[in-house]
Amino acid sequence: MSRYARQIILPEVGLAGQSRLAAARILVVGAGGLAAPVLPLLAGAGVGHITLIDGDEVTLSNLHRQTLFAEADCGHMKVDVAAKRCRALNSEITVETVAQRVTPANAPDLLVNVDLVLDCADSYAVSYLLSDLCHAKDIPLISASVLGLGGYVGGFCGGAPSLRAVFPEAPDSGASCETAGVLGPVVATIGAQQAQMALNVLLGLDPSPLGQVVQVDCRSFRATSFRFDHAPEPETAFPFVAASDLQDCDHIIELRSDATLLHPTARYSSAEALEQDLPDPASRLVLCCATGLRAWRAAEKIHDIWPGKIVLVAASAS
């Protein structure tokens, strides 16, 4: 009996659908908690070619939600261990790995010849970077975020509005799983829905999850969803760029007083001081900080009074 018999029997799949899955090429960004259910579910379903990128090692403090890994894997690269698990589950598929973090410098090349991108990084800077690229290239993006006892998963781009159309403003908080905590089943719940959305897109099921967000609250066991098929793209957006893209003609501001300057022409300043000392609008204004959040908020404060172009650098993802 075929390993895929239980899904081929579904009228939504069939032999034609299984062939579509086998021919699919997907990019999974992040090999942590969200990827723990995503990767085996998509590998088991027979998605033919998976490229996995992550630059971190397995650590003990993450095992409660990164259930692809065991204690013996600590200290090993996540992508290597995750790929080994996927290949052990399904020898018929191809799994390629990139042991790096996604950055504005390497992301464009990763999206070449990709049918679908899954954002499992749970980093808003990475999410917006992927959304900008996928929207420009018309590639579907399934993005998810988890914190505490809840989170969301949504289908963006690929003909649907981008992440910026739904969440155009800087996040209210820079909290992460590391600083605010998270429970493993919450991550697994949302990651499983992320995998299902990916399969629905690859199989061409109707209605498409592209243009839909599902919000999950595991404290109350409630889930809500909404569609955003006609959400307008924001008129003002501050894209993330790589530190390697900075130029001498840029006006580069480092908002962290204790950070190493990313470019020889950069200078230190605060958001408040910047409002009183805006550069020539003919120059590109580059705002730098660790995660991009402080830079994004500073950009929002000045864009109404400064007509030039503003871009952001998140040092942790650059």
Side-chain angles (χ1 to χ4, degrees), residues 123-174:
S123 159
Y124 70 85
V126 170
S127 296
Y128 282 91
L129 169 64
L130 293 175
S131 178
D132 290 344
L133 292 171
C134 287
H135 190 250
K137 296 176 178 291
D138 200 31
I139 299 172
L141 170 69
I142 308 298
S143 182
S145 179
V146 186
L147 194 66
L149 297 176
Y152 75 86
V153 57
F156 307 92
C157 308
S162 72
L163 185 72
R164 291 187 186 275
V166 184
F167 306 110
E169 299 178 349
D172 294 332
S173 170

Side-chain angles (χ1 to χ4, degrees), residues 116 139-142 154-161 197 201 207-212 227-229:
L116 175 71
I139 299 172
L141 170 69
I142 308 298
F156 307 92
C157 308
M197 278 194 174
V201 170
S208 171
L210 299 179
Q212 182 173 9
R227 295 204 65 88
F228 56 92
D229 301 88

